[in-house]
Amino acid sequence: MLSAAARARLTVVLVGARNPGNIGAAARALHDFGFSDLRIVNDFAAPLEAAQLAAAATSAIAAAHILHSARRFDTLAPAIADCSLIVATTAIGERELTQPILPLQRASPKILEALAHSGETRVALLFGSEKTGLTNHHLSHAQLLTTIPLFAPSSASGEKPAAGEKAPRHLSLNLGQSVAICLYELTRSGLEGSAAIPILHPTPTTSEGRERLTQLLLEVLDTTRYTRRFPANSSEPQIRQLAHQLGATHREAETWMGILRQILWHNLTPPPPPNL
Amino acid sequence: MLSAAARARLTVVLVGARNPGNIGAAARALHDFGFSDLRIVNDFAAPLEAAQLAAAATSAIAAAHILHSARRFDTLAPAIADCSLIVATTAIGERELTQPILPLQRASPKILEALAHSGETRVALLFGSEKTGLTNHHLSHAQLLTTIPLFAPSSASGEKPAAGEKAPRHLSLNLGQSVAICLYELTRSGLEGSAAIPILHPTPTTSEGRERLTQLLLEVLDTTRYTRRFPANSSEPQIRQLAHQLGATHREAETWMGILRQILWHNLTPPPPPNL
């Protein structure tokens, strides 16, 4: 589980994002996964301002809070000046640089380690613009490159893009989706089975309860002459197996018993006279 | 690694999605993670058509292909009739139903197993509308509920929503982000080691078979006047959940249908005259 202090040390940096909807979606992802520091690198203020207005207009309070405290920078360097580990998200290929590039699920432990152990460290996670991603210039600021592993048809089915054709797949996920996936990956192991997930554990049926159900079901099958018509399906072990499906929980088992009793009761009650 | 055949067996169902941008983003996520079958449950065609037009206009060829072959249904039942395992995504809380709810990373192996081992099985992954999510009626069609584990401030920092205030966090991630995260989770680890385990899988019941059981059970409850005596237990979603316990396999489902038909038949047949 990431501590609050560790979460506070992660900074998400959107470089060149133009679509206010994507900026808003990124802010929502930060909020949902427990992060708060958003920075926008953009040579004009309009996209962030539009995202702030949209969040305010739609009462997206959580995102509005993050967008309100988001800071805008003209260029990347000052935006990450206080960060120690810079992680850049990128598509595979078309790079001239030599940093290691790891699939997200293998980069994640390194990011978590930096967040957890280095008291003074800020970690910056960079995302490029919708159209072009991060440039080589941006990537040169990073110590670690990571990519969301997408499905490459060529590796699985032998399909290949035609010669000279660029595979367009890395431009497909939108920015809000990419940010959400990265933050999900960073928190998924910490949140697994943690107290943050209140799983309802209903009371299970006891063996005694299951046996009562079995006997009731047998009685119903006798009363309605199922056992007589389908003896091959009606051995007690077979019926027990069927009855065991009725109600994994105590509450469900009680409901099934009520249903079976009602069937019996209805069958044992003399029908009303025909003239009623 | 999910095989192409396994990927082809996953169906993503968007129920009540209204925003064409979200439908488009969901289609992009399907494409990026190697899936293709998208179904839209909506009582009007406009959102899907708008998403198709937008994809065509922006040359989002990959998404356009998936949107073009997406099928629209008026209601949920026919959209999932050919699917055996129905997985519904939902926020935690506010549920009346009793299916297990697992965080996404623990639901994922179950989904992968169903995709990998059951030759005839389709798996449907349901997403609700942006505003309301899936209703209890929708959830009652599912065998498994899953939730993307989000950060709960109350558990980490002591912050709590004010009394009477509903925590809005589950409405925060947008639909495109939710679909992308779920498909990322399904593909991130592939099928680690699980292909080595040859489990015998009897033919599972399809959603259509379960729906026939549901309708039969409802008829039995009406005929025996259970619904009249216990209306609080007799809503259609509640009965559907009970019926879903009847027969995980096709053969068991057939046996239960025989039992229910026999109960009906016995109740509809006039009793023998008293002197017999």
Side-chain angles (χ1 to χ4, degrees), chain A residues 1-2 4 7 21 25-26 28-29 31-35 62-63 104-105 148-153 155-157 169 171-174 176-177 179-181 184-185 187-189 191-193 195-200 202 217 220-221 223-226 229-230 233 238-239 242-243 245-249 251-252 255-256 258-259 262-263 265-267 271-272, chain B residues 1-2 4 7 21 25-26 28-29 31-35 62-63 92 95-99 101-106 147-153 155-157 169 171-174 176-177 180-181 184-185 187-189 217 220-221 223-226 229-230 233 238-239 241-243 245-248 251-252 255-256 258-259 262-263 265-267 271-272:
Chain A
M1 182 76 182
L2 277 173
R7 281 171 199 270
R28 291 160 79 165
H31 170 261
D32 285 348
F33 292 110
F35 302 98
L104 178 60
Q105 58 269 51
I148 297 173
L150 303 181
F151 181 66
S155 70
S157 64
R169 63 189 170 81
L171 296 177
S172 193
L173 278 180
N174 73 37
Q177 290 173 312
V179 172
I181 288 172
Y184 168 75
E185 174 62 45
T187 54
R188 78 183 277 289
S189 58
L191 289 171
E192 186 162 12
I197 308 162
I199 299 176
L200 267 179
L217 182 58
V220 164
L221 299 187
T223 303
T224 59
R225 303 181 186 222
Y226 182 88
R229 273 186 82 187
F230 305 101
N233 288 348
Q238 285 171 307
I239 303 307
L242 290 175
Q245 298 176 350
L246 304 178
T249 71
R251 194 179 132 199
E252 288 166 347
T255 304
W256 275 115
I259 289 174
Q262 177 69 19
I263 292 172
W265 179 85
H266 189 258
N267 277 276
Chain B
M1 181 74 184
L2 277 172
R7 281 171 199 270
R28 292 160 80 165
H31 170 261
D32 284 349
F33 292 110
F35 302 99
I92 288 169
R95 295 186 305 122
E96 291 170 6
L97 303 170
T98 55
Q99 302 108 310
I101 180 166
L102 294 178
L104 177 61
Q105 57 271 51
R106 283 174 54 203
T147 192
I148 297 172
L150 303 181
F151 181 66
S155 69
S157 64
R169 62 188 171 81
L171 296 177
S172 193
L173 279 180
N174 73 37
Q177 289 172 314
I181 287 172
Y184 167 75
E185 175 63 44
T187 53
R188 78 183 276 289
S189 60
L217 181 57
V220 164
L221 299 187
T223 302
T224 60
R225 302 181 186 225
Y226 181 88
R229 272 186 81 187
F230 305 102
N233 290 347
Q238 286 171 308
I239 302 309
Q241 279 296 293
L242 291 174
Q245 299 175 350
L246 305 177
R251 196 178 132 202
E252 288 167 346
T255 304
W256 276 115
I259 290 174
Q262 176 67 19
I263 293 171
W265 179 84
H266 188 259
N267 276 276

Side-chain angles (χ1 to χ4, degrees), chain B residues 79-195:
Chain B
I80 56 175
D82 60 340
C83 302
S84 312
L85 176 63
I86 315 296
V87 184
T89 59
T90 183
I92 288 169
E94 301 163 50
R95 295 186 305 122
E96 291 170 6
L97 303 170
T98 55
Q99 302 108 310
I101 180 166
L102 294 178
L104 177 61
Q105 57 271 51
R106 283 174 54 203
S108 176
K110 294 181 192 292
I111 299 170
L112 291 173
E113 197 189 330
L115 288 173
H117 291 297
S118 306
E120 305 301 314
T121 303
R122 292 197 73 76
V123 177
L125 189 54
L126 314 187
F127 294 85
S129 76
E130 298 90 344
K131 286 242 162 188
T132 60
L134 294 167
T135 65
N136 279 328
H137 183 84
H138 299 138
L139 295 179
S140 74
H141 286 271
Q143 290 77 56
L144 178 60
L145 306 185
T146 186
T147 192
I148 297 172
L150 303 181
F151 181 66
S154 55
S155 69
S157 64
E159 278 177 57
K160 278 184 189 173
E165 185 187 310
K166 241 185 231 174
R169 62 188 171 81
H170 61 280
L171 296 177
S172 193
L173 279 180
N174 73 37
L175 182 56
Q177 289 172 314
S178 298
V179 172
I181 287 172
C182 288
L183 300 184
Y184 167 75
E185 175 63 44
L186 285 178
T187 53
R188 78 183 276 289
S189 60
L191 280 170
E192 286 166 325
S194 71

Side-chain angles (χ1 to χ4, degrees), chain A residues 5-265:
Chain A
R7 281 171 199 270
R9 284 197 291 273
L10 185 82
T11 293
V12 170
V13 186
L14 307 182
V15 183
R18 304 209 145 222
N19 180 329
N22 284 337
I23 297 175
R28 291 160 79 165
L30 262 83
H31 170 261
D32 285 348
F33 292 110
F35 302 98
S36 56
D37 189 27
L38 178 64
R39 305 182 188 180
I40 312 286
V41 175
N42 218 328
D43 48 13
F44 60 120
L48 176 57
E49 288 169 359
Q52 287 167 336
L53 285 172
T58 58
S59 313
I61 298 179
H65 176 76
I66 285 175
L67 290 168
H68 183 73
S69 55
R71 277 176 290 163
R72 191 180 66 78
F73 298 83
D74 289 332
T75 58
L76 179 58
I80 56 175
D82 60 340
C83 302
S84 314
L85 175 63
I86 314 298
V87 184
T89 59
T90 184
I92 289 171
E94 302 164 48
R95 296 185 306 121
E96 293 168 5
L97 303 170
T98 54
Q99 302 107 310
I101 181 164
L102 293 179
L104 178 60
Q105 58 269 51
R106 284 175 55 204
S108 176
K110 293 181 191 294
I111 298 170
L112 292 173
E113 197 186 330
L115 288 173
H117 293 299
S118 308
E120 304 301 313
T121 304
R122 290 198 73 77
V123 176
L125 190 53
L126 314 188
F127 294 86
S129 76
E130 298 90 345
K131 285 243 162 186
T132 60
L134 294 167
T135 64
N136 281 329
H137 179 82
H138 299 138
L139 295 179
S140 70
H141 287 272
Q143 290 78 54
L144 178 61
L145 305 186
T146 186
T147 191
I148 297 173
L150 303 181
F151 181 66
S154 55
S155 70
S157 64
E159 279 177 55
K160 279 186 187 171
E165 186 187 310
K166 238 187 231 173
R169 63 189 170 81
H170 61 281
L171 296 177
S172 193
L173 278 180
N174 73 37
L175 182 56
Q177 290 173 312
S178 298
V179 172
I181 288 172
C182 288
L183 299 184
Y184 168 75
E185 174 62 45
L186 285 178
T187 54
R188 78 183 277 289
S189 58
L191 289 171
E192 186 162 12
S194 80
I197 308 162
I199 299 176
L200 267 179
H201 282 284
T203 316
T205 327
T206 61
S207 190
E208 185 187 13
R210 282 194 290 262
E211 197 51 28
R212 276 192 293 146
L213 262 172
T214 304
Q215 296 309 319
L216 260 172
L217 182 58
L218 277 166
E219 209 178 328
V220 164
L221 299 187
D222 270 344
T223 303
T224 59
R225 303 181 186 222
Y226 182 88
T227 43
R228 201 175 301 181
R229 273 186 82 187
F230 305 101
N233 288 348
S234 301
S235 76
E236 190 167 320
Q238 285 171 307
I239 303 307
R240 180 168 289 107
Q241 281 296 298
L242 290 175
H244 282 194
Q245 298 176 350
L246 304 178
T249 71
H250 179 70
R251 194 179 132 199
E252 288 166 347
E254 291 289 323
T255 304
W256 275 115
M257 282 193 250
I259 289 174
L260 294 174
R261 284 197 203 98
Q262 177 69 19
I263 292 172
L264 282 177
W265 179 85

